[in-house]
């Protein structure tokens, strides 16, 4: 039986002045947890991951056009995984 957990910080390389909802690189934090065990000839694992970003506020966007002026951006993801391995 194995219990896993973790945290990762990813520095956001995108300047706030060019932030748009089309750029997916704003996730700065990731938390994860998992549990695995062996049952008969099977290795079974379950995992959960939560990625999130702080709230970004953009005044005058530096991109051409004013589509994203005075915008606020925030994103998060919940991910669940299950895995089963049988070795021969």
């Amino acid at each position: 039986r194995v219990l896993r957990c973790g945290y990762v910080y990813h520095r956001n390389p995108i300047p706030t002045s060019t932030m748009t909802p089309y750029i997916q690189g704003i996730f700065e934090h990731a938390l994860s947890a998992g549990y695995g065990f062996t049952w008969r000839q099977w290795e079974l694992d379950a995992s959960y991951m939560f990625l999130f970003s702080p709230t970004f506020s953009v005044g005058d966007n530096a991109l051409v056009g004013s589509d994203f002026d005075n915008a606020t951006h925030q994103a998060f993801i919940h991910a669940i995984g299950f895995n089963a391995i049988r070795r021969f």
Side-chain angles (χ1 to χ4, degrees):
R1 298 173 197 262
V2 177
L3 181 63
R4 300 172 184 93
C5 62
Y7 170 79
V8 175
Y9 171 76
H10 301 277
R11 186 185 65 78
N12 183 3
I14 304 165
T16 304
S17 63
T18 60
M19 188 68 63
T20 77
Y22 302 117
I23 300 173
Q24 303 301 315
I26 65 173
F27 295 108
E28 288 188 1
H29 307 278
L31 298 167
S32 62
Y35 179 72
F37 64 97
T38 302
W39 177 71
R40 299 186 184 186
Q41 295 179 351
W42 291 89
E43 296 174 24
L44 305 171
D45 293 286
S47 62
Y48 170 76
M49 185 170 53
F50 178 57
L51 291 92
F52 61 99
S53 73
T55 302
F56 294 98
S57 295
V58 179
D60 291 331
N61 199 305
L63 299 174
V64 175
S66 60
D67 293 344
F68 302 108
D69 286 356
N70 302 314
T72 301
H73 304 282
Q74 184 179 26
F76 58 90
I77 293 176
H78 295 276
I80 297 175
F82 298 100
N83 187 46
I85 299 173
R86 183 166 184 239
R87 301 191 188 273
F88 297 96

XYZ file of all heavy atoms in Angstrom:
714
model
N 0.843 -1.187 0.000
C 0.000 0.000 0.000
C 0.879 1.237 0.000
O 1.847 1.312 0.739
C -0.902 0.000 1.230
C -1.842 -1.184 1.260
C -2.598 -1.230 2.564
N -3.180 -2.555 2.739
C -4.413 -2.848 2.457
N -5.221 -1.929 2.003
N -4.864 -4.055 2.636
N 0.507 2.188 -0.846
C 1.298 3.409 -0.984
C 0.356 4.611 -0.981
O -0.632 4.636 -1.713
C 2.112 3.400 -2.299
C 2.868 4.698 -2.463
C 3.061 2.225 -2.349
N 0.674 5.579 -0.151
C -0.066 6.837 -0.121
C 0.861 7.930 -0.645
O 2.015 8.031 -0.218
C -0.497 7.155 1.317
C -1.301 8.427 1.516
C -2.635 8.325 0.776
C -1.528 8.663 2.997
N 0.363 8.728 -1.594
C 1.178 9.765 -2.209
C 0.477 11.119 -2.075
O -0.744 11.194 -2.156
C 1.384 9.480 -3.699
C 2.066 8.191 -4.004
C 2.042 7.921 -5.515
N 2.598 6.644 -5.833
C 1.892 5.531 -5.957
N 0.588 5.563 -5.811
N 2.489 4.394 -6.252
N 1.271 12.173 -1.903
C 0.715 13.521 -1.941
C 1.812 14.476 -2.400
O 2.999 14.168 -2.286
C 0.140 13.942 -0.599
S 1.335 14.001 0.723
N 1.399 15.617 -2.939
C 2.404 16.539 -3.433
C 1.857 17.918 -3.698
O 0.645 18.150 -3.742
N 2.782 18.849 -3.854
C 2.469 20.230 -4.192
C 3.531 20.716 -5.174
O 4.721 20.423 -4.999
C 2.481 21.126 -2.952
C 2.410 22.593 -3.285
C 1.208 23.187 -3.623
C 3.554 23.379 -3.297
C 1.139 24.520 -3.955
C 3.501 24.717 -3.628
C 2.289 25.289 -3.951
O 2.221 26.607 -4.293
N 3.103 21.447 -6.194
C 4.031 22.017 -7.174
C 3.652 23.476 -7.398
O 2.466 23.806 -7.532
C 3.978 21.257 -8.521
C 4.849 21.928 -9.563
C 4.383 19.822 -8.348
N 4.674 24.330 -7.443
C 4.467 25.729 -7.788
C 5.089 25.974 -9.156
O 6.257 25.652 -9.387
C 5.127 26.652 -6.758
C 5.115 28.099 -7.180
C 3.949 28.835 -7.093
C 6.253 28.704 -7.685
C 3.922 30.159 -7.493
C 6.237 30.024 -8.086
C 5.062 30.745 -7.989
O 5.037 32.051 -8.395
N 4.291 26.513 -10.082
C 4.771 26.866 -11.417
C 4.687 28.383 -11.552
O 3.588 28.944 -11.503
C 3.879 26.257 -12.513
C 3.783 24.787 -12.463
N 4.729 23.967 -13.023
C 2.851 23.973 -11.936
C 4.381 22.710 -12.828
N 3.251 22.691 -12.174
N 5.827 29.034 -11.711
C 5.822 30.485 -11.884
C 5.127 30.827 -13.192
O 5.379 30.220 -14.223
C 7.254 31.013 -11.898
C 7.323 32.537 -11.928
C 8.758 33.011 -12.068
N 9.346 32.627 -13.344
C 9.115 33.247 -14.501
N 8.280 34.255 -14.557
N 9.695 32.836 -15.616
N 4.247 31.800 -13.158
C 3.515 32.216 -14.347
C 4.419 33.086 -15.224
O 4.817 34.170 -14.822
C 2.265 32.996 -13.938
C 1.425 33.403 -15.119
O 1.733 33.065 -16.258
N 0.366 34.132 -14.871
N 4.748 32.655 -16.455
C 5.640 33.428 -17.316
C 4.929 34.508 -18.135
O 5.569 35.244 -18.870
C 6.209 32.353 -18.246
C 5.088 31.382 -18.384
C 4.418 31.361 -17.025
N 3.614 34.620 -18.014
C 2.845 35.526 -18.863
C 2.649 36.862 -18.146
O 2.129 36.893 -17.029
C 1.474 34.906 -19.206
C 1.667 33.546 -19.853
C 0.678 35.837 -20.101
C 0.413 32.720 -19.895
N 3.038 37.981 -18.757
C 2.791 39.280 -18.130
C 1.287 39.538 -18.006
O 0.507 39.166 -18.891
C 3.418 40.286 -19.092
C 4.273 39.489 -20.018
C 3.749 38.099 -20.013
N 0.889 40.143 -16.909
C -0.533 40.424 -16.693
C -1.104 41.293 -17.802
O -2.268 41.153 -18.164
C -0.727 41.111 -15.330
O -0.167 40.266 -14.321
C -2.184 41.338 -15.015
N -0.288 42.147 -18.387
C -0.784 43.065 -19.428
C -1.185 42.354 -20.714
O -1.870 42.932 -21.547
C 0.267 44.127 -19.741
O 1.434 43.517 -20.266
N -0.772 41.093 -20.896
C -1.152 40.349 -22.113
C -1.993 39.118 -21.784
O -2.107 38.214 -22.596
C 0.101 39.915 -22.904
O 0.909 39.083 -22.069
C 0.893 41.108 -23.381
N -2.596 39.089 -20.634
C -3.393 37.932 -20.200
C -4.705 37.855 -20.984
O -5.380 38.856 -21.187
C -3.700 38.072 -18.708
C -4.348 36.863 -18.104
S -3.257 35.442 -18.022
C -1.999 36.027 -16.936
N -5.025 36.662 -21.470
C -6.307 36.389 -22.118
C -6.789 35.028 -21.644
O -6.000 34.207 -21.178
C -6.195 36.341 -23.659
O -5.611 35.098 -24.045
C -5.387 37.493 -24.214
N -8.083 34.727 -21.768
C -8.562 33.394 -21.393
C -8.136 32.302 -22.367
O -8.348 31.131 -22.108
C -10.084 33.557 -21.378
C -10.368 34.739 -22.223
C -9.174 35.629 -22.131
N -7.519 32.673 -23.481
C -7.073 31.685 -24.460
C -5.706 31.094 -24.134
O -5.288 30.133 -24.752
C -7.033 32.311 -25.860
C -8.366 32.856 -26.279
C -8.540 34.210 -26.515
C -9.466 32.018 -26.403
C -9.769 34.713 -26.881
C -10.702 32.508 -26.764
C -10.856 33.858 -27.001
O -12.071 34.347 -27.358
N -4.984 31.688 -23.192
C -3.667 31.194 -22.797
C -3.835 30.333 -21.547
O -4.344 30.791 -20.533
C -2.695 32.359 -22.522
C -2.532 33.200 -23.789
C -1.357 31.846 -22.029
C -1.725 34.465 -23.595
N -3.421 29.070 -21.630
C -3.666 28.122 -20.546
C -2.526 28.031 -19.534
O -2.533 27.167 -18.689
C -3.923 26.736 -21.135
C -5.078 26.711 -22.111
C -6.371 27.169 -21.481
O -6.698 26.769 -20.373
N -7.099 28.026 -22.156
N -1.549 28.916 -19.611
C -0.380 28.803 -18.757
C -0.489 29.513 -17.428
O 0.521 29.864 -16.851
N -1.689 29.783 -16.914
C -1.805 30.574 -15.699
C -1.945 29.732 -14.433
O -2.059 30.276 -13.352
C -2.977 31.578 -15.793
C -4.316 30.870 -15.872
C -2.780 32.513 -16.971
C -5.502 31.811 -15.789
N -1.909 28.418 -14.549
C -2.020 27.575 -13.354
C -0.703 27.618 -12.589
O 0.303 27.086 -13.039
C -2.344 26.130 -13.733
C -3.688 25.985 -14.371
C -3.791 25.712 -15.714
C -4.837 26.151 -13.632
C -5.026 25.588 -16.316
C -6.081 26.032 -14.215
C -6.179 25.755 -15.559
N -0.698 28.260 -11.426
C 0.525 28.398 -10.648
C 0.679 27.313 -9.586
O 1.780 26.998 -9.182
C 0.582 29.768 -9.971
C 0.838 30.892 -10.935
C 1.087 32.211 -10.234
O 1.083 32.241 -8.988
O 1.276 33.197 -10.931
N -0.411 26.772 -9.111
C -0.361 25.836 -7.994
C -1.024 24.508 -8.376
O -2.040 24.495 -9.057
C -1.092 26.417 -6.778
C -0.613 27.776 -6.407
N 0.513 27.983 -5.650
C -1.098 29.001 -6.704
C 0.693 29.280 -5.479
N -0.270 29.924 -6.123
N -0.441 23.416 -7.890
C -1.025 22.090 -8.120
C -0.887 21.265 -6.839
O 0.202 21.156 -6.280
C -0.331 21.381 -9.275
N -1.992 20.714 -6.388
C -2.023 19.807 -5.242
C -2.441 18.436 -5.747
O -3.320 18.332 -6.602
C -3.033 20.283 -4.198
C -2.769 21.641 -3.571
C -4.000 22.119 -2.817
C -1.588 21.538 -2.634
N -1.828 17.381 -5.235
C -2.187 16.040 -5.693
C -2.155 15.058 -4.527
O -1.442 15.253 -3.543
C -1.246 15.568 -6.802
O 0.074 15.494 -6.301
N -2.956 14.007 -4.676
C -2.983 12.921 -3.691
C -3.293 11.630 -4.435
O -3.994 11.629 -5.451
C -4.034 13.179 -2.625
N -2.759 10.531 -3.936
C -3.006 9.245 -4.578
C -2.856 8.102 -3.597
O -2.223 8.232 -2.547
N -3.463 6.997 -3.960
C -3.380 5.792 -3.136
C -3.261 4.602 -4.067
O -3.985 4.501 -5.064
C -4.633 5.660 -2.267
C -4.636 4.429 -1.407
C -3.797 4.322 -0.314
C -5.467 3.349 -1.704
C -3.783 3.190 0.478
C -5.463 2.217 -0.922
C -4.625 2.145 0.172
O -4.608 1.019 0.950
N -2.350 3.704 -3.763
C -2.160 2.509 -4.587
C -1.983 1.273 -3.728
O -1.469 1.351 -2.610
N -2.433 0.150 -4.248
C -2.277 -1.118 -3.532
C -2.282 -2.269 -4.532
O -2.657 -2.100 -5.698
C -3.375 -1.307 -2.475
C -4.765 -1.404 -3.041
C -5.357 -2.636 -3.272
C -5.487 -0.259 -3.344
C -6.637 -2.724 -3.788
C -6.767 -0.340 -3.853
C -7.343 -1.578 -4.074
N -1.853 -3.421 -4.078
C -1.827 -4.625 -4.907
C -2.930 -5.556 -4.436
O -3.075 -5.810 -3.237
C -0.464 -5.325 -4.799
O 0.546 -4.405 -5.212
C -0.412 -6.551 -5.685
N -3.696 -6.059 -5.392
C -4.762 -7.016 -5.108
C -4.604 -8.181 -6.083
O -4.699 -7.986 -7.289
C -6.126 -6.343 -5.259
C -7.283 -7.258 -5.052
C -7.702 -7.815 -3.885
C -8.182 -7.721 -6.062
N -8.804 -8.588 -4.093
C -9.120 -8.552 -5.438
C -8.283 -7.521 -7.429
C -10.145 -9.177 -6.118
C -9.304 -8.134 -8.114
C -10.226 -8.954 -7.454
N -4.290 -9.334 -5.538
C -3.972 -10.516 -6.339
C -2.838 -10.181 -7.303
O -1.771 -9.801 -6.887
C -5.206 -11.055 -7.027
C -6.259 -11.485 -6.023
C -7.410 -12.153 -6.655
N -8.413 -12.433 -5.620
C -9.495 -13.109 -5.836
N -9.739 -13.595 -7.029
N -10.341 -13.314 -4.865
N -3.047 -10.265 -8.605
C -1.987 -9.918 -9.565
C -2.156 -8.502 -10.128
O -1.500 -8.133 -11.084
C -1.976 -10.927 -10.713
C -1.615 -12.320 -10.268
C -1.630 -13.292 -11.441
O -2.069 -12.956 -12.538
N -1.150 -14.492 -11.210
N -3.016 -7.717 -9.545
C -3.320 -6.380 -10.050
C -2.703 -5.301 -9.167
O -2.721 -5.399 -7.945
C -4.831 -6.161 -10.101
C -5.507 -6.991 -11.141
C -5.999 -8.255 -10.989
C -5.758 -6.632 -12.481
N -6.533 -8.700 -12.160
C -6.408 -7.707 -13.097
C -5.506 -5.489 -13.229
C -6.801 -7.687 -14.426
C -5.902 -5.466 -14.547
C -6.544 -6.556 -15.139
N -2.189 -4.259 -9.819
C -1.759 -3.058 -9.120
C -2.812 -1.986 -9.401
O -3.047 -1.616 -10.547
C -0.401 -2.590 -9.627
C 0.713 -3.577 -9.346
C 2.028 -3.155 -9.978
O 2.218 -1.943 -10.240
O 2.854 -4.050 -10.223
N -3.488 -1.507 -8.357
C -4.586 -0.559 -8.494
C -4.186 0.780 -7.881
O -3.634 0.824 -6.774
C -5.841 -1.095 -7.816
C -6.288 -2.487 -8.297
C -7.390 -3.028 -7.426
C -6.726 -2.420 -9.749
N -4.445 1.853 -8.597
C -4.101 3.193 -8.139
C -5.271 4.141 -8.394
O -5.968 4.031 -9.401
C -2.879 3.739 -8.889
C -1.617 2.970 -8.567
O -1.105 3.169 -7.463
O -1.171 2.183 -9.416
N -5.442 5.085 -7.473
C -6.417 6.165 -7.635
C -5.700 7.467 -7.309
O -4.841 7.518 -6.423
C -7.609 5.969 -6.717
N -6.062 8.533 -8.038
C -5.389 9.817 -7.812
C -6.365 10.973 -8.004
O -7.393 10.848 -8.672
C -4.210 9.979 -8.759
O -4.652 9.989 -10.098
N -5.995 12.086 -7.383
C -6.765 13.323 -7.509
C -5.771 14.481 -7.625
O -4.753 14.497 -6.925
C -7.666 13.538 -6.289
C -8.290 14.907 -6.247
C -9.363 15.218 -7.077
C -7.817 15.880 -5.395
C -9.927 16.484 -7.049
C -8.374 17.144 -5.361
C -9.435 17.439 -6.188
O -9.994 18.686 -6.167
N -6.068 15.429 -8.498
C -5.207 16.597 -8.656
C -6.073 17.842 -8.789
O -7.121 17.820 -9.447
C -4.316 16.463 -9.889
C -3.340 17.583 -10.037
S -2.057 17.333 -11.309
C -3.004 16.933 -12.746
N -5.643 18.913 -8.141
C -6.335 20.201 -8.201
C -5.327 21.259 -8.615
O -4.318 21.458 -7.939
C -6.946 20.537 -6.843
C -7.642 21.869 -6.799
C -8.678 22.157 -7.671
C -7.267 22.832 -5.887
C -9.320 23.384 -7.639
C -7.906 24.058 -5.834
C -8.941 24.335 -6.711
N -5.562 21.892 -9.759
C -4.711 22.970 -10.251
C -5.502 24.271 -10.175
O -6.695 24.286 -10.506
C -4.316 22.737 -11.710
C -3.370 21.590 -11.986
C -4.147 20.336 -12.276
C -2.469 21.941 -13.129
N -4.841 25.346 -9.737
C -5.552 26.613 -9.648
C -4.592 27.780 -9.833
O -3.380 27.639 -9.714
C -6.311 26.735 -8.330
C -5.440 26.689 -7.105
C -5.061 27.848 -6.459
C -5.012 25.471 -6.581
C -4.274 27.803 -5.325
C -4.235 25.416 -5.453
C -3.862 26.592 -4.815
N -5.184 28.922 -10.135
C -4.409 30.142 -10.339
C -4.950 31.231 -9.423
O -6.108 31.177 -9.013
C -4.515 30.597 -11.791
O -5.807 31.133 -12.032
N -4.129 32.227 -9.139
C -4.676 33.393 -8.450
C -5.569 34.181 -9.410
O -5.589 33.913 -10.613
C -3.438 34.196 -8.063
C -2.378 33.754 -8.996
C -2.704 32.343 -9.379
N -6.283 35.136 -8.897
C -7.108 35.999 -9.739
C -6.236 37.101 -10.317
O -5.524 37.781 -9.591
C -8.255 36.609 -8.921
O -9.034 35.544 -8.359
C -9.143 37.479 -9.782
N -6.261 37.245 -11.639
C -5.504 38.276 -12.329
C -6.480 39.343 -12.814
O -7.495 39.021 -13.422
C -4.771 37.715 -13.555
C -3.698 36.734 -13.221
C -3.940 35.371 -13.295
C -2.444 37.171 -12.831
C -2.953 34.462 -12.981
C -1.449 36.270 -12.516
C -1.706 34.909 -12.587
N -6.152 40.589 -12.555
C -6.947 41.707 -13.067
C -6.109 42.461 -14.086
O -4.952 42.786 -13.829
C -7.355 42.638 -11.936
O -8.219 41.970 -11.052
N -6.706 42.722 -15.239
C -6.011 43.406 -16.325
C -6.695 44.746 -16.541
O -7.906 44.800 -16.746
C -6.064 42.572 -17.626
C -5.366 43.287 -18.756
C -5.488 41.201 -17.391
N -5.928 45.831 -16.513
C -6.480 47.160 -16.806
C -6.569 47.337 -18.301
O -7.452 46.804 -18.957
N -5.623 48.064 -18.877
C -5.539 48.214 -20.329
C -4.655 47.100 -20.860
O -3.469 47.043 -20.580
C -4.940 49.580 -20.707
C -5.879 50.714 -20.382
O -7.099 50.482 -20.402
O -5.394 51.823 -20.092
N -5.234 46.200 -21.628
C -4.508 45.067 -22.172
C -3.548 45.538 -23.245
O -3.878 46.397 -24.065
C -5.498 44.044 -22.742
C -4.891 42.681 -22.896
O -3.866 42.536 -23.545
N -5.521 41.691 -22.310
N -2.342 44.971 -23.267
C -1.317 45.364 -24.243
C -1.530 44.733 -25.613
O -0.797 45.041 -26.549
C 0.063 44.986 -23.716
N -2.506 43.857 -25.763
C -2.775 43.224 -27.057
C -3.562 44.186 -27.955
O -4.226 45.102 -27.478
C -3.563 41.931 -26.856
C -2.861 40.857 -26.027
C -3.802 39.688 -25.772
C -1.596 40.384 -26.723
N -3.514 43.945 -29.245
C -4.248 44.771 -30.200
C -5.740 44.578 -29.970
O -6.226 43.458 -29.808
C -3.864 44.390 -31.653
C -4.716 45.152 -32.648
C -2.389 44.644 -31.895
N -6.482 45.656 -29.961
C -7.918 45.594 -29.693
C -8.159 45.780 -28.202
O -7.247 45.776 -27.387
N -9.392 45.932 -27.846
C -9.716 46.172 -26.435
C -10.618 45.077 -25.865
O -11.346 45.312 -24.913
C -10.395 47.535 -26.297
O -11.585 47.559 -27.076
N -10.561 43.893 -26.465
C -11.442 42.810 -26.038
C -11.250 42.422 -24.580
O -12.193 42.017 -23.915
C -11.231 41.566 -26.901
C -11.670 41.774 -28.335
O -12.402 42.751 -28.589
O -11.265 40.974 -29.193
N -10.017 42.501 -24.065
C -9.746 42.016 -22.716
C -9.370 43.137 -21.758
O -8.812 42.887 -20.702
C -8.648 40.951 -22.763
C -9.015 39.800 -23.656
C -8.390 39.623 -24.874
C -10.017 38.919 -23.292
C -8.739 38.570 -25.707
C -10.372 37.878 -24.121
C -9.736 37.695 -25.322
N -9.677 44.392 -22.106
C -9.438 45.495 -21.179
C -10.375 45.364 -19.975
O -11.530 44.953 -20.109
C -9.686 46.840 -21.865
C -8.563 47.208 -22.835
O -7.568 46.452 -22.894
O -8.699 48.223 -23.531
N -9.857 45.707 -18.802
C -10.625 45.673 -17.548
C -11.223 44.293 -17.286
O -12.360 44.172 -16.860
C -11.712 46.744 -17.553
C -11.121 48.121 -17.739
O -10.134 48.465 -17.102
N -11.685 48.900 -18.648
N -10.463 43.258 -17.561
C -10.934 41.885 -17.388
C -10.318 41.262 -16.133
O -9.281 41.700 -15.643
C -10.571 41.050 -18.605
N -10.968 40.246 -15.636
C -10.469 39.459 -14.507
C -10.426 38.007 -14.952
O -11.382 37.510 -15.546
C -11.394 39.607 -13.285
O -11.463 40.989 -12.941
C -10.868 38.822 -12.110
N -9.305 37.326 -14.675
C -9.131 35.934 -15.084
C -8.778 35.072 -13.878
O -7.974 35.469 -13.042
C -7.998 35.798 -16.116
C -8.175 36.648 -17.319
N -9.039 36.320 -18.328
C -7.608 37.820 -17.676
C -8.988 37.248 -19.268
N -8.127 38.171 -18.884
N -9.378 33.908 -13.820
C -9.028 32.897 -12.818
C -9.409 31.544 -13.405
O -10.384 31.430 -14.136
C -9.771 33.118 -11.507
C -9.348 32.140 -10.429
C -10.072 32.366 -9.123
O -11.164 32.885 -9.088
N -9.442 31.960 -8.040
N -8.637 30.517 -13.073
C -8.914 29.190 -13.623
C -8.591 28.120 -12.594
O -7.738 28.318 -11.722
C -8.088 28.965 -14.891
N -9.287 26.988 -12.705
C -8.980 25.837 -11.865
C -9.431 24.562 -12.556
O -10.313 24.587 -13.408
C -9.604 25.956 -10.474
C -11.099 26.107 -10.469
C -11.922 25.000 -10.413
C -11.670 27.360 -10.529
C -13.297 25.142 -10.418
C -13.049 27.514 -10.526
C -13.853 26.394 -10.472
N -8.786 23.463 -12.196
C -9.087 22.151 -12.770
C -9.116 21.113 -11.652
O -8.244 21.104 -10.783
C -8.017 21.726 -13.798
C -8.053 22.616 -15.027
C -8.197 20.267 -14.202
C -6.955 22.311 -16.030
N -10.102 20.229 -11.696
C -10.131 19.040 -10.845
C -9.896 17.843 -11.772
O -10.554 17.722 -12.794
C -11.497 18.869 -10.179
C -11.842 19.960 -9.225
N -11.421 19.956 -7.921
C -12.559 21.093 -9.382
C -11.875 21.032 -7.315
N -12.571 21.742 -8.187
N -8.964 16.978 -11.412
C -8.686 15.800 -12.236
C -8.659 14.554 -11.346
O -8.042 14.565 -10.281
C -7.351 15.946 -12.951
N -9.339 13.514 -11.797
C -9.380 12.237 -11.073
C -8.854 11.158 -11.999
O -9.184 11.140 -13.192
C -10.812 11.893 -10.635
C -11.320 12.954 -9.655
C -10.872 10.518 -10.002
C -12.763 12.769 -9.267
N -8.022 10.272 -11.474
C -7.478 9.193 -12.288
C -7.584 7.847 -11.597
O -7.496 7.753 -10.367
N -7.794 6.829 -12.397
C -7.808 5.425 -11.917
C -6.918 4.623 -12.834
O -6.926 4.824 -14.053
C -9.233 4.855 -11.936
C -10.182 5.588 -11.032
C -11.053 6.526 -11.545
C -10.185 5.339 -9.665
C -11.932 7.209 -10.721
C -11.055 6.027 -8.833
C -11.915 6.955 -9.367
N -6.176 3.713 -12.269
C -5.229 2.936 -13.055
C -5.234 1.487 -12.562
O -5.284 1.238 -11.347
C -3.830 3.537 -12.897
C -2.830 2.892 -13.816
O -3.102 2.705 -14.995
N -1.676 2.553 -13.284
N -5.199 0.551 -13.464
C -5.099 -0.874 -13.133
C -4.041 -1.515 -14.030
O -4.097 -1.362 -15.250
C -6.442 -1.573 -13.324
N -3.085 -2.180 -13.409
C -2.010 -2.842 -14.154
C -1.957 -4.290 -13.741
O -1.985 -4.625 -12.556
C -0.640 -2.192 -13.863
C -0.633 -0.738 -14.287
C 0.477 -2.962 -14.554
C 0.622 -0.005 -13.864
N -1.878 -5.173 -14.723
C -1.667 -6.596 -14.457
C -0.420 -7.020 -15.215
O -0.357 -6.920 -16.434
C -2.841 -7.447 -14.911
C -2.630 -8.899 -14.563
C -3.906 -9.702 -14.705
N -3.642 -11.051 -14.254
C -3.799 -12.114 -15.009
N -4.215 -11.996 -16.238
N -3.555 -13.303 -14.525
N 0.577 -7.437 -14.481
C 1.842 -7.828 -15.094
C 1.804 -9.312 -15.465
O 1.287 -10.129 -14.715
C 2.989 -7.540 -14.147
C 3.046 -6.069 -13.797
C 4.314 -5.707 -13.080
N 4.264 -4.352 -12.586
C 4.609 -3.283 -13.272
N 5.032 -3.395 -14.513
N 4.534 -2.078 -12.737
N 2.375 -9.639 -16.630
C 2.414 -11.026 -17.099
C 3.812 -11.584 -17.004
O 4.770 -10.911 -17.096
C 1.922 -11.129 -18.545
C 0.500 -10.708 -18.698
C 0.164 -9.412 -19.086
C -0.521 -11.601 -18.433
C -1.145 -9.027 -19.240
C -1.848 -11.218 -18.585
C -2.157 -9.921 -18.989
